[in-house]
């Protein structure tokens, strides 16, 4: 269906013509959008120890970065400098932020990273740079000038505490007003400068490097391979230099390592657990008071369930991945849990089989899901 969010295009056409290919400016993507939180709300989030935040300061061409939590920081003293406060994972704290992300569900959740929100007074920005992920830059309160460039010169200012392009050559620029949005594919150079008190909402998508995937897959394999046998050398040869590693030892080692094998089931399990693994600063809290399993089942039937805002849930075949764990379930349970993962909520009155109910109760105890009250 054609949508104003994509400038009157269908998601299918957007994916075909723009996604990972070229920028798209959308005027009035979310008409009337003024943002989801105030500057002070954002500062409040930046003070929490379960959030990730940065403060970027610029004075006379010198860049500085501070990392949160900013519990003792006085933001009113910053008024003489140009600054930007950026908070990641705002969707972990605001249900409205999760609803905003859901508008972008024409991109699979496996690619979604988070909603980052920035605040900058007039003149503030993080400098010209490029990101290695796709991003939709949605303007909340205020106006921001965006300059973009398809340049291939990615050289950076040496010794700066953040990545700033040394030779940024803008090719196009627009002032975005509340509700306007700019989509940028990975690697596209951009620079945003606040025209007045301004808040920008970045809907960001993750794309792990092949190096990261390979490294993490090796970590996964560590716990999943089983290779039998032990190094043996009953026919060991006399060596004139005892410090030398022999060719026979190299050969035998090569044969043993050649036994490391994996299959599609390993790839599936790895990618599901890797993509749903909570970020290091994320922790879950058990609900209090705890309901018994019987009361839990009654309440779920009556009111339904939410996925906790910090939870990441994906599925593949009959396996459900939740916060770094894999659960293989029967077909009926799988059908229900898949729906839960797609909609991030389970409506009241849903018929749940015993296996699904046992898992849901376990996830409730872990704090991965929430009761609708
Ligand atoms: C910002 O919101 O200030 C920066 C967003 C970006 O450039 O990716
Ligand atoms: Co950027």
């Amino acid at each position: 269906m054609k949508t104003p969010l994509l400038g009157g295009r269908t998601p299918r056409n957007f994916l075909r013509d723009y996604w990972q290919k070229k920028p798209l400016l959308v005027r009035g993507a979310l008409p009337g959008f003024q943002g989801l939180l105030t500057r002070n709300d954002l500062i409040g989030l930046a003070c929490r120890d379960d959030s990730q935040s940065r403060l970027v300061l610029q004075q006379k061409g010198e860049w500085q970065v501070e990392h949160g939590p900013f519990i003792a920081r006085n933001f009113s003293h910053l008024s003489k400098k140009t600054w930007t406060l950026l908070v990641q994972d705002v969707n972990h704290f605001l249900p409205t932020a999760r609803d905003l992300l859901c508008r972008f569900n024409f991109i699979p959740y496996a690619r979604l990273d988070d909603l980052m929100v920035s605040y900058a007074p007039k003149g503030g920005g993080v400098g010209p740079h490029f990101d290695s992920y796709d991003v939709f830059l949605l303007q909340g309160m205020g106006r921001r000038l965006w300059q973009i460039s398809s340049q291939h010169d990615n050289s950076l200012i040496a010794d700066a505490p953040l990545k700033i392009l040394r030779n940024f050559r803008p090719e196009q620029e627009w002032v975005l007003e509340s509700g306007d949005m700019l989509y940028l594919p990975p690697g596209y150079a951009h620079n945003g400068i606040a025209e007045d008190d301004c808040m920008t909402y970045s809907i960001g998508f993750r794309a792990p490097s092949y190096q990261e995937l390979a490294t993490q897959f090796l970590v996964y394999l560590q716990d999943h391979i089983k290779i039998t046998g032990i190094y043996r050398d009953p026919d060991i040869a006399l060596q004139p230099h005892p410090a030398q590693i022999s060719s026979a030892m190299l050969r035998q080692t090569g044969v043993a390592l050649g036994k490391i094998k994996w299959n599609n089931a390993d790839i599936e399990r790895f990618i599901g657990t890797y993509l749903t693994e909570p970020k290091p600063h994320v922790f879950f809290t058990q609900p209090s008071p705890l309901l018994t399993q019987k009361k839990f089942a009654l309440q779920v039937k009556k009111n339904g369930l939410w996925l906790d805002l910090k939870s990441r849930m994906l599925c593949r075949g009959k396996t459900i991945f939740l916060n770094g764990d894999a659960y293989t379930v029967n077909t009926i349970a799988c059908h229900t849990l898949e729906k839960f993962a797609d909609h991030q909520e389970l409506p009241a009155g849903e018929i749940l089989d015993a296996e699904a109910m046992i898992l849901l109760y376990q996830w409730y105890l872990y704090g991965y899901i929430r009761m609708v009250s």
Side-chain angles (χ1 to χ4, degrees), residues 13-227:
N13 287 354
F14 168 78
L15 296 182
R16 187 193 61 202
D17 300 335
Y18 294 92
W19 176 253
Q20 296 241 308
K21 298 169 195 76
K22 57 183 182 191
L24 175 66
L25 171 73
V26 182
R27 294 283 180 199
L30 281 183
F33 181 73
Q34 286 292 328
L36 307 176
L37 68 175
T38 64
R39 164 194 187 270
N40 284 349
D41 294 337
L42 192 71
I43 292 175
L45 288 184
C47 292
R48 292 176 62 136
D49 58 6
D50 56 352
S51 79
Q52 255 188 328
S53 52
R54 278 171 299 153
L55 178 64
V56 176
L57 300 142
Q58 191 200 4
Q59 210 172 21
K60 298 189 190 110
E62 287 283 304
W63 293 91
Q64 246 179 294
V65 183
E66 293 176 24
H67 293 272
F70 294 103
I71 296 158
R73 193 78 169 84
N74 190 337
F75 285 87
S76 45
H77 285 166
L78 291 171
S79 50
K80 295 233 158 40
K81 300 187 181 182
T82 47
W83 58 282
T84 301
L85 175 69
L86 306 110
V87 181
Q88 300 286 152
D89 295 314
V90 170
N91 49 302
H92 287 186
F93 307 101
L94 302 183
T96 48
R98 175 165 50 199
D99 296 344
L100 177 64
L101 290 185
C102 280
R103 289 175 176 265
F104 294 82
N105 66 5
F106 50 90
I107 316 281
Y109 294 158
R111 292 282 273 109
L112 182 63
D113 188 359
D114 71 335
L115 176 70
M116 179 183 82
V117 181
S118 70
Y119 166 82
K122 185 177 167 58
V126 298
H129 65 282
F130 62 92
D131 299 307
S132 48
Y133 45 78
D134 305 81
V135 65
F136 292 90
L137 298 157
L138 173 66
Q139 191 56 34
M141 175 189 92
R143 292 172 309 144
R144 183 183 283 272
L145 170 72
W146 281 108
Q147 304 175 307
I148 64 167
S149 170
S150 62
Q151 68 188 67
H152 295 296
D153 176 357
N154 286 344
S155 53
L156 303 174
I157 295 182
D159 306 325
L162 70 170
K163 289 183 177 170
I164 309 273
L165 286 168
R166 198 158 43 150
N167 308 306
F168 179 58
R169 290 180 303 278
E171 294 164 349
Q172 282 178 289
E173 62 174 46
W174 308 275
V175 174
L176 269 69
E177 312 228 354
S178 303
D180 292 347
M181 187 173 78
L182 176 62
Y183 162 73
L184 292 176
Y188 218 92
H190 55 287
N191 186 29
I193 304 164
E195 294 266 303
D196 35 43
D197 266 17
C198 133
M199 291 181 80
T200 300
Y201 291 69
S202 299
I203 296 102
F205 293 83
R206 66 197 305 204
S209 69
Y210 289 159
Q211 178 65 34
E212 158 81 359
L213 279 182
T215 308
Q216 294 304 321
F217 184 58
L218 290 176
V219 173
Y220 163 90
L221 272 189
Q222 212 166 273
D223 296 331
H224 292 84
I225 51 167
K226 211 166 176 60
I227 296 179

